[in-house]
């Protein structure tokens, strides 16, 4: 009887180990890229490179709060006051340096290539402009989740998933911070 019980226990153990939900060897998790437009800007102070308004500074804190628990390992921003200020609270919370990128089409392609070389299973944040965020999503291989971003819209938080396999990237539009 004891041997029969041990045999059944061994078979049950082997069967359960075959039902494990672990990923197959060699597979890796998807990379998640969060893309936002800079916060509200104050063009009265500096029309060429405006800083954030008080509302924009609040939006930067909302971005930090929205992404603080995500496994962010890299942060990218164009080289403007408003984009850097939008992501600075998150960068400080994560103890990460903000890397700058060129928002021209060639620069967006280079940024997408660089993101694809980062370790899988982590998150990346990219801050851009109303006329570059959707183009960056396309450079990452995903279709635009919205047709355009109006000049008055600052609360989109786009989430692009880059699968570890050969499947295409996907994008979805979320919102964060105060409504406009």
């Amino acid at each position: 009887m004891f041997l029969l019980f041990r045999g059944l226990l061994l078979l049950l153990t082997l069967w359960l180990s075959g039902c494990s939900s672990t990923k197959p060897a060699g597979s890796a998790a998807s990379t998640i890229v969060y893309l936002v437009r800079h916060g509200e800007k104050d063009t009265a102070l500096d029309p060429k490179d405006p800083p954030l308004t008080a509302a924009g500074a609040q939006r930067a804190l909302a971005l930090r709060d929205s992404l603080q628990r995500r496994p962010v390992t890299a942060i990218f921003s164009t080289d403007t006051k408003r984009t850097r200020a939008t992501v600075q609270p998150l960068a400080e919370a994560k103890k990460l340096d903000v890397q700058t990128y060129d928002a021209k089409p060639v620069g967006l392609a280079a940024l997408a290539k660089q993101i694809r070389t980062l370790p899988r299973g982590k998150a990346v944040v990219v801050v851009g402009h109303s006329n570059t965020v959707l183009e960056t999503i396309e450079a990452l291989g995903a279709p635009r989740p919205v047709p355009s971003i109006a000049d008055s819209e600052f609360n989109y938080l786009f989430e692009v998933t880059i699968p570890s396999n050969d499947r295409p990237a996907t994008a979805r539009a979320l919102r964060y911070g105060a409504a406009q």
Side-chain angles (χ1 to χ4, degrees):
M1 183 72 166
F2 178 72
L3 288 176
L4 178 61
F5 178 75
R6 273 184 71 187
L8 287 174
L9 187 59
L10 177 63
L11 284 173
L12 181 62
T13 303
L14 290 172
W15 180 75
L16 288 174
S17 67
C19 294
S20 167
S21 64
T22 59
K23 294 180 181 181
S27 75
S30 298
T31 298
I32 305 297
V33 183
Y34 296 100
L35 298 102
V36 296
R37 177 190 182 194
H38 57 78
E40 292 85 339
K41 60 187 176 182
D42 188 351
T43 54
L45 289 176
D46 182 355
K48 291 188 181 204
D49 190 10
L52 294 178
T53 63
Q58 285 299 318
R59 187 163 308 284
L61 295 175
L63 179 64
R64 178 201 62 200
D65 295 345
S66 296
L67 298 179
Q68 194 161 346
R69 288 185 166 71
R70 308 284 189 217
V72 175
T73 57
I75 298 174
F76 297 92
S77 170
T78 60
D79 194 18
T80 64
K81 290 176 192 172
R82 60 195 178 274
T83 54
R84 289 189 315 266
T86 299
V87 78
Q88 194 58 43
L90 178 64
E92 289 172 3
K94 292 290 191 176
K95 297 178 176 46
L96 293 171
D97 291 329
V98 177
Q99 302 173 58
T100 59
Y101 71 95
D102 182 1
K104 293 178 183 144
V106 170
L108 296 182
L111 174 64
K113 184 176 179 180
Q114 183 177 0
I115 288 171
R116 288 182 175 278
T117 65
L118 296 172
R120 296 291 185 167
K122 302 296 180 183
V124 175
V125 176
V126 177
V127 183
H129 305 270
S130 62
N131 63 347
T132 66
V133 170
L134 296 174
E135 290 78 0
T136 305
I137 291 171
E138 290 175 329
L140 290 166
R144 292 177 180 220
V146 298
S148 64
I149 300 172
D151 196 43
S152 60
E153 291 182 297
F154 297 94
N155 66 344
Y156 272 119
L157 173 63
F158 297 101
E159 182 183 85
V160 175
T161 302
I162 303 172
S164 59
N165 54 24
D166 290 334
R167 290 191 167 154
T170 59
R172 64 184 185 140
L174 308 168
R175 301 283 184 160
Y176 81 103
Q180 297 157 331

